Amino acid sequence: MEKRKLGKIGLEVSAMGLGCMGMSHGFGPVSDKKEMINLIREAFDKGVTFFDTAECYGPYINEELLGEALEPIRDQVVIATKFGFDIQNGKQVGVDSRPEHIKKVVEESLKRLKAEVIDLYYQHRVDPDVPVEDVAGTIKELIKEGKIKYWGLSEGGADTIRRAHAIQPVTAVQSEYSLWWRRPEEKILPLLEELGIGFVPFSPLGRGYLTGNINKNTIFEKNDFRNILPRFSKEAIGDNEVIVDFLKKESEKMNVTPAQIALAWLLAQKPWIVPIPGTRKSNRLGENLGAVNVKLSADQLKEINEVLSKIVVTGNRYTEVLEKLTEQ
């Protein structure tokens, strides 16, 4: 698989990464550990070198999963994980990016990942009670100590990113970005291009919606967090089918899938964008990775952008409570 560089410092990864959250968190029951280890190793065999996790996925068990799966090939892959939540008795009770907390949890993540160093360490969400300069200063110390190599921010706003970068150069920013959530184009992407920071879109397939496999009759598992998202109400799912219908028509022209069109569109935006679609199925893994070979022409990109610019997406992406944890 082709490689891409995140940031000016030189972190090179596969053009498509693997988001591992859904294996342990957020999308129904926890998957069988042995099956997920096999899937992660299959991804590596198919060229993926970039794997994404976080301490709060589970919590903790997703990092443990990656630690076990990637231990035999640790020196050949890049693992990204995240800090910044206050986790009590297995539940997130708030955010916490105090320097002393970061220094504590980085050690715990290292143990779970069976690693001597974390390749890419993101602040998962901005902590309004801790200046980002203090966070960046702590990261700088951890880099000097050899605990982490690179760092980034997840869902950080433009001002926060600029302030953080001034203290310790940021390698990558991770935020939601897809054909049906394009807010990063307003402020984030121009800033990242200016500063030389890479971008890692999560939920590049709209939490599964852009695959065309979800409709208003879809029933999610009880502990699938899409149940509480406004964009996944029956009404919103029905209203937004116009997006999927368009993707299906485009994909039929090229003999590819709607998911591959959506991922290829992201890859075509900037050479420093690396999507991290998640999956728990081998056939979906192959489908997603196949998008790297789908090349959209300038005319195709123009048509997609023109059509989608006229479509108003129904439903907010998050509840009001969850939205407060993000910056744009």
Coordinates of all heavy atoms in Angstrom, one line a residue, residues 99-149:
P99 N -1.2 17.9 33.9 CA 0.1 17.3 33.7 C 0.3 16.0 34.5 O 0.8 15.0 33.9 CB 1.1 18.4 34.1 CG 0.3 19.6 33.7 CD -1.1 19.3 34.1
E100 N 0.0 16.0 35.8 CA 0.2 14.8 36.6 C -0.6 13.6 36.1 O -0.2 12.5 36.2 CB 0.0 15.1 38.1 CG -1.4 15.6 38.4 CD -1.6 17.1 38.4 OE1 -0.9 17.8 37.6 OE2 -2.5 17.6 39.2
H101 N -1.8 13.9 35.6 CA -2.7 12.8 35.1 C -2.1 12.3 33.8 O -2.0 11.0 33.6 CB -4.1 13.4 34.8 CG -5.0 12.3 34.4 ND1 -5.5 11.4 35.2 CD2 -5.6 12.1 33.1 CE1 -6.4 10.6 34.5 NE2 -6.4 11.0 33.2
I102 N -1.6 13.1 32.9 CA -1.0 12.7 31.7 C 0.2 11.8 32.0 O 0.4 10.7 31.3 CB -0.6 13.9 30.8 CG1 -1.8 14.7 30.4 CG2 0.1 13.4 29.5 CD1 -1.4 16.0 29.7
K103 N 1.0 12.2 32.9 CA 2.2 11.4 33.2 C 1.9 10.0 33.8 O 2.6 9.1 33.6 CB 3.1 12.2 34.2 CG 3.8 13.4 33.5 CD 4.6 14.2 34.5 CE 5.2 15.5 33.9 NZ 5.9 16.3 34.8
K104 N 0.8 10.0 34.5 CA 0.3 8.7 35.1 C -0.3 7.8 34.0 O 0.1 6.6 33.9 CB -0.8 9.0 36.1 CG -1.4 7.7 36.7 CD -2.5 8.1 37.8 CE -3.2 6.9 38.3 NZ -4.1 6.3 37.3
V105 N -1.2 8.3 33.2 CA -1.8 7.4 32.2 C -1.0 7.0 31.0 O -1.2 6.0 30.4 CB -3.1 8.1 31.7 CG1 -4.1 8.3 32.8 CG2 -2.9 9.4 30.9
V106 N 0.1 7.8 30.7 CA 0.9 7.4 29.6 C 1.7 6.1 30.0 O 1.9 5.2 29.2 CB 2.0 8.5 29.2 CG1 3.0 8.7 30.3 CG2 2.6 8.1 27.9
E107 N 2.0 5.9 31.3 CA 2.7 4.7 31.8 C 1.7 3.5 31.7 O 2.1 2.4 31.3 CB 3.2 4.9 33.2 CG 4.2 6.0 33.4 CD 5.5 5.7 32.8 OE1 5.8 4.6 32.4 OE2 6.3 6.7 32.7
E108 N 0.5 3.8 32.0 CA -0.5 2.7 31.9 C -0.8 2.3 30.5 O -0.9 1.1 30.2 CB -1.8 3.2 32.6 CG -1.6 3.4 34.1 CD -2.8 4.2 34.7 OE1 -3.7 4.6 34.0 OE2 -2.8 4.3 36.0
S109 N -0.8 3.2 29.6 CA -1.1 2.9 28.2 C 0.1 2.1 27.6 O 0.0 1.2 26.8 CB -1.3 4.2 27.3 OG -2.6 4.7 27.6
L110 N 1.3 2.5 28.0 CA 2.5 1.8 27.5 C 2.5 0.3 27.9 O 2.8 -0.6 27.2 CB 3.8 2.4 28.1 CG 4.2 3.7 27.4 CD1 5.3 4.5 28.2 CD2 4.8 3.5 26.0
K111 N 2.0 0.0 29.2 CA 2.0 -1.3 29.7 C 0.9 -2.1 28.9 O 1.1 -3.3 28.5 CB 1.6 -1.4 31.1 CG 2.8 -0.9 32.0 CD 2.3 -0.9 33.5 CE 3.5 -0.4 34.4 NZ 3.1 -0.3 35.8
R112 N -0.3 -1.5 28.7 CA -1.3 -2.2 27.9 C -0.9 -2.5 26.5 O -1.3 -3.5 25.9 CB -2.6 -1.4 28.0 CG -3.3 -1.4 29.4 CD -4.7 -0.8 29.4 NE -4.6 0.6 29.2 CZ -4.6 1.5 30.1 NH1 -4.6 1.1 31.4 NH2 -4.6 2.8 29.9
L113 N -0.2 -1.5 25.9 CA 0.2 -1.7 24.5 C 1.5 -2.6 24.3 O 1.9 -2.8 23.2 CB 0.5 -0.3 23.9 CG -0.8 0.6 23.7 CD1 -0.3 2.0 23.3 CD2 -1.7 0.0 22.6
K114 N 2.0 -3.0 25.5 CA 3.2 -3.8 25.5 C 4.3 -3.1 24.7 O 5.0 -3.7 23.8 CB 3.0 -5.2 24.9 CG 1.9 -6.0 25.6 CD 1.8 -7.4 25.0 CE 0.7 -8.2 25.6 NZ 1.0 -8.6 27.0
A115 N 4.5 -1.8 24.9 CA 5.4 -1.0 24.1 C 6.3 -0.2 25.0 O 6.0 0.1 26.2 CB 4.6 0.0 23.2
E116 N 7.5 0.2 24.5 CA 8.4 1.0 25.2 C 8.2 2.5 24.8 O 8.6 3.4 25.5 CB 9.8 0.6 24.8 CG 10.2 -0.8 25.3 CD 11.7 -1.1 24.9 OE1 12.3 -0.3 24.2 OE2 12.1 -2.2 25.3
V117 N 7.5 2.7 23.7 CA 7.2 4.1 23.3 C 5.9 4.1 22.5 O 5.5 3.1 21.9 CB 8.3 4.6 22.4 CG1 8.5 3.8 21.1 CG2 8.1 6.1 22.0
I118 N 5.1 5.2 22.7 CA 3.9 5.4 21.9 C 4.2 6.3 20.7 O 4.8 7.3 20.8 CB 2.8 6.1 22.8 CG1 2.4 5.2 23.9 CG2 1.6 6.5 22.0 CD1 1.5 5.8 25.0
D119 N 3.8 5.8 19.5 CA 4.2 6.5 18.3 C 3.5 7.8 18.2 O 4.1 8.9 17.8 CB 3.9 5.6 17.1 CG 4.6 4.3 17.1 OD1 5.8 4.3 17.1 OD2 4.0 3.3 17.1
L120 N 2.2 7.9 18.4 CA 1.4 9.1 18.3 C 0.4 9.1 19.4 O -0.5 8.3 19.6 CB 0.7 9.1 16.9 CG -0.3 10.2 16.6 CD1 0.5 11.6 16.7 CD2 -0.9 10.0 15.2
Y121 N 0.5 10.2 20.2 CA -0.3 10.3 21.4 C -1.2 11.6 21.3 O -0.7 12.7 21.3 CB 0.7 10.5 22.6 CG 0.1 10.1 24.0 CD1 -0.8 9.0 24.1 CD2 0.5 10.7 25.1 CE1 -1.3 8.6 25.4 CE2 0.0 10.4 26.4 CZ -0.9 9.3 26.5 OH -1.3 8.9 27.7
Y122 N -2.5 11.3 21.2 CA -3.4 12.4 21.1 C -4.0 12.9 22.4 O -4.4 12.0 23.3 CB -4.6 12.0 20.2 CG -4.4 11.7 18.8 CD1 -4.4 10.4 18.3 CD2 -4.3 12.7 17.8 CE1 -4.3 10.0 17.0 CE2 -4.1 12.4 16.5 CZ -4.1 11.1 16.1 OH -4.0 10.7 14.7
Q123 N -4.3 14.2 22.6 CA -5.2 14.6 23.6 C -6.6 14.4 23.0 O -7.0 14.9 22.0 CB -5.0 16.1 23.9 CG -6.0 16.6 25.0 CD -5.9 18.1 25.2 OE1 -5.7 18.8 24.3 NE2 -6.2 18.5 26.4
H124 N -7.4 13.5 23.7 CA -8.6 13.0 23.1 C -9.7 14.1 23.0 O -10.4 14.2 22.0 CB -9.2 11.9 24.0 CG -10.0 10.9 23.3 ND1 -10.1 9.6 23.6 CD2 -10.8 11.0 22.1 CE1 -10.9 8.9 22.8 NE2 -11.3 9.8 21.9
R125 N -9.8 14.9 24.0 CA -10.7 16.1 24.0 C -10.0 17.2 24.8 O -9.3 16.9 25.8 CB -12.0 15.8 24.6 CG -12.9 14.8 23.8 CD -13.3 15.4 22.4 NE -14.2 14.5 21.7 CZ -13.9 13.6 20.8 NH1 -12.6 13.4 20.6 NH2 -14.8 12.9 20.2
V126 N -10.2 18.4 24.3 CA -9.6 19.6 25.0 C -10.2 19.7 26.4 O -11.4 19.5 26.6 CB -9.9 20.9 24.2 CG1 -9.5 22.1 25.0 CG2 -9.2 20.8 22.9
D127 N -9.4 20.0 27.4 CA -9.8 20.2 28.8 C -9.9 21.7 29.0 O -8.9 22.4 29.1 CB -8.8 19.5 29.7 CG -9.2 19.6 31.2 OD1 -10.1 20.4 31.5 OD2 -8.7 18.8 32.0
P128 N -11.1 22.2 29.3 CA -11.3 23.6 29.4 C -10.6 24.2 30.7 O -10.4 25.4 30.8 CB -12.8 23.8 29.5 CG -13.3 22.5 29.9 CD -12.4 21.5 29.3
D129 N -10.3 23.3 31.6 CA -9.7 23.7 32.9 C -8.2 23.6 32.9 O -7.5 24.0 33.9 CB -10.2 22.8 34.1 CG -11.7 23.0 34.2 OD1 -12.2 24.1 34.1 OD2 -12.4 22.0 34.5
V130 N -7.6 23.2 31.8 CA -6.1 23.1 31.7 C -5.6 23.8 30.4 O -6.0 23.3 29.3 CB -5.7 21.6 31.7 CG1 -4.1 21.5 31.6 CG2 -6.1 20.9 33.0
P131 N -4.9 24.8 30.5 CA -4.4 25.5 29.3 C -3.6 24.5 28.4 O -2.9 23.7 28.9 CB -3.4 26.6 29.9 CG -3.9 26.8 31.3 CD -4.4 25.5 31.8
V132 N -3.9 24.6 27.1 CA -3.3 23.6 26.2 C -1.8 23.8 26.2 O -1.0 22.9 25.9 CB -3.9 23.8 24.8 CG1 -3.4 25.1 24.1 CG2 -3.6 22.6 24.0
E133 N -1.3 25.0 26.6 CA 0.2 25.2 26.7 C 0.8 24.3 27.8 O 1.9 23.8 27.6 CB 0.5 26.7 27.1 CG 0.2 27.6 25.9 CD -1.2 28.1 25.8 OE1 -2.1 27.6 26.6 OE2 -1.5 28.9 25.0
D134 N 0.0 24.0 28.9 CA 0.5 23.1 29.9 C 0.5 21.7 29.4 O 1.4 20.9 29.7 CB -0.4 23.2 31.1 CG -0.3 24.5 31.9 OD1 0.6 25.3 31.5 OD2 -1.1 24.8 32.8
V135 N -0.5 21.3 28.6 CA -0.6 20.0 28.0 C 0.6 19.8 27.1 O 1.3 18.8 27.1 CB -1.9 19.8 27.2 CG1 -1.9 18.4 26.6 CG2 -3.1 19.9 28.2
A136 N 0.8 20.8 26.2 CA 1.9 20.7 25.2 C 3.3 20.6 25.9 O 4.2 19.9 25.5 CB 1.9 21.9 24.2
G137 N 3.4 21.4 27.0 CA 4.7 21.3 27.7 C 4.9 20.0 28.4 O 6.1 19.5 28.4
T138 N 3.9 19.3 28.8 CA 4.0 18.0 29.4 C 4.4 17.0 28.3 O 5.2 16.1 28.5 CB 2.7 17.6 30.1 OG1 2.3 18.5 31.1 CG2 2.8 16.2 30.7
I139 N 3.8 17.1 27.2 CA 4.1 16.3 26.0 C 5.6 16.4 25.6 O 6.3 15.5 25.3 CB 3.2 16.6 24.8 CG1 1.7 16.2 25.2 CG2 3.7 15.9 23.6 CD1 1.5 14.7 25.4
K140 N 6.0 17.7 25.6 CA 7.4 17.9 25.3 C 8.4 17.2 26.2 O 9.4 16.6 25.8 CB 7.7 19.4 25.4 CG 9.2 19.8 25.1 CD 9.4 21.3 25.0 CE 9.1 21.9 23.7 NZ 9.5 23.3 23.6
E141 N 8.0 17.1 27.5 CA 8.8 16.4 28.5 C 8.8 14.9 28.2 O 9.8 14.2 28.3 CB 8.2 16.6 29.9 CG 8.4 18.0 30.5 CD 7.8 18.2 31.8 OE1 7.7 17.2 32.6 OE2 7.4 19.3 32.2
L142 N 7.6 14.4 27.9 CA 7.5 13.0 27.6 C 8.2 12.6 26.3 O 8.8 11.4 26.2 CB 6.0 12.6 27.5 CG 5.2 12.7 28.7 CD1 3.7 12.4 28.4 CD2 5.7 11.7 29.8
I143 N 8.3 13.5 25.3 CA 9.1 13.2 24.1 C 10.6 13.1 24.5 O 11.3 12.2 24.0 CB 8.8 14.3 23.1 CG1 7.4 14.1 22.5 CG2 9.8 14.2 21.9 CD1 6.9 15.2 21.6
K144 N 11.0 14.1 25.3 CA 12.4 14.1 25.7 C 12.8 12.8 26.5 O 13.9 12.3 26.4 CB 12.7 15.3 26.6 CG 12.8 16.6 25.8 CD 13.0 17.8 26.7 CE 13.1 19.1 25.9 NZ 13.3 20.3 26.8
E145 N 11.8 12.3 27.3 CA 12.0 11.1 28.1 C 11.9 9.8 27.2 O 12.2 8.7 27.7 CB 11.0 11.0 29.2 CG 11.2 12.1 30.3 CD 10.0 12.1 31.3 OE1 9.2 11.1 31.3 OE2 9.9 13.1 32.0
G146 N 11.5 10.0 26.0 CA 11.4 8.8 25.1 C 10.1 8.0 25.3 O 10.0 6.8 24.8
K147 N 9.1 8.6 26.0 CA 7.9 7.8 26.2 C 7.0 7.9 25.0 O 6.2 7.0 24.7 CB 7.2 8.4 27.4 CG 7.9 8.4 28.7 CD 8.1 7.0 29.2 CE 8.9 6.9 30.5 NZ 8.3 7.7 31.6
I148 N 7.0 9.0 24.2 CA 6.2 9.1 23.0 C 7.1 9.8 21.9 O 8.1 10.4 22.2 CB 5.0 10.0 23.2 CG1 5.3 11.4 23.6 CG2 4.1 9.4 24.3 CD1 4.2 12.4 23.7
K149 N 6.7 9.5 20.7 CA 7.5 10.1 19.6 C 6.8 11.3 19.0 O 7.5 12.3 18.7 CB 7.6 9.0 18.4 CG 8.4 7.8 18.8 CD 8.5 6.9 17.6 CE 9.4 5.6 17.9 NZ 9.4 4.7 16.7

